[in-house]
Amino acid sequence: MTLEQRKRTCPYFKAFIEQRENAARRGIEWQFTFDEWKQLWESSGCWEKRGKGADRYVMARHGDTGPYSPSNVRITTFLENGRDARVGKPGHNPWGRKGKPVLEAAV
């Protein structure tokens, strides 16, 4: 089966290729095999809720640094990943826009 045929027939494989290519465009090293990546998503129980949006799930790197690798990622909400990516960066306000503490999302 060719790469294009696998992309069309396997939703996991299509998503794997898209995420790997997105990491490459962003200059982030990718260290997952397809089987490792699929196992992470299957074991998380969040595959059906994967994507962008406050209640959706994404693969996030610890501290938003380093490679995408089995030892450096976790499955978390899109909203929490966005908050984590801003921590420690210029302009980050841990108290939120209205001066109230930002509560962490439970996964």
Side-chain angles (χ1 to χ4, degrees):
M1 183 178 292
T2 69
L3 178 63
E4 286 305 314
Q5 288 170 324
R6 281 189 81 182
K7 281 184 183 179
R8 286 193 299 270
T9 60
C10 177
Y12 280 107
F13 193 72
K14 182 177 187 236
F16 170 78
I17 295 297
E18 288 172 355
Q19 188 169 3
R20 185 179 70 183
E21 289 173 350
N22 186 43
R25 275 192 300 278
R26 295 169 55 208
I28 301 169
E29 185 179 358
W30 184 264
Q31 297 179 353
F32 274 97
T33 65
F34 171 68
D35 290 333
E36 290 168 334
W37 180 89
K38 185 179 177 193
Q39 175 60 36
L40 178 71
W41 276 106
E42 286 181 335
S43 67
S44 75
C46 299
W47 171 256
E48 296 299 323
K49 295 180 183 177
R50 182 179 175 273
K52 294 180 180 177
D55 63 338
R56 309 300 284 177
Y57 288 84
V58 298
M59 179 185 292
R61 296 173 297 141
H62 297 295
D64 201 32
T65 61
Y68 281 100
S69 70
S71 64
N72 191 43
V73 299
R74 70 189 190 290
I75 303 300
T76 187
T77 64
F78 178 79
L79 187 63
E80 184 177 332
N81 185 47
R83 274 198 301 261
D84 291 349
R86 291 185 295 276
V87 172
K89 294 196 174 145
H92 172 68
N93 178 1
W95 292 94
R97 289 192 306 251
K98 297 181 180 178
K100 297 179 182 175
V102 176
L103 301 176
E104 293 299 316
V107 178

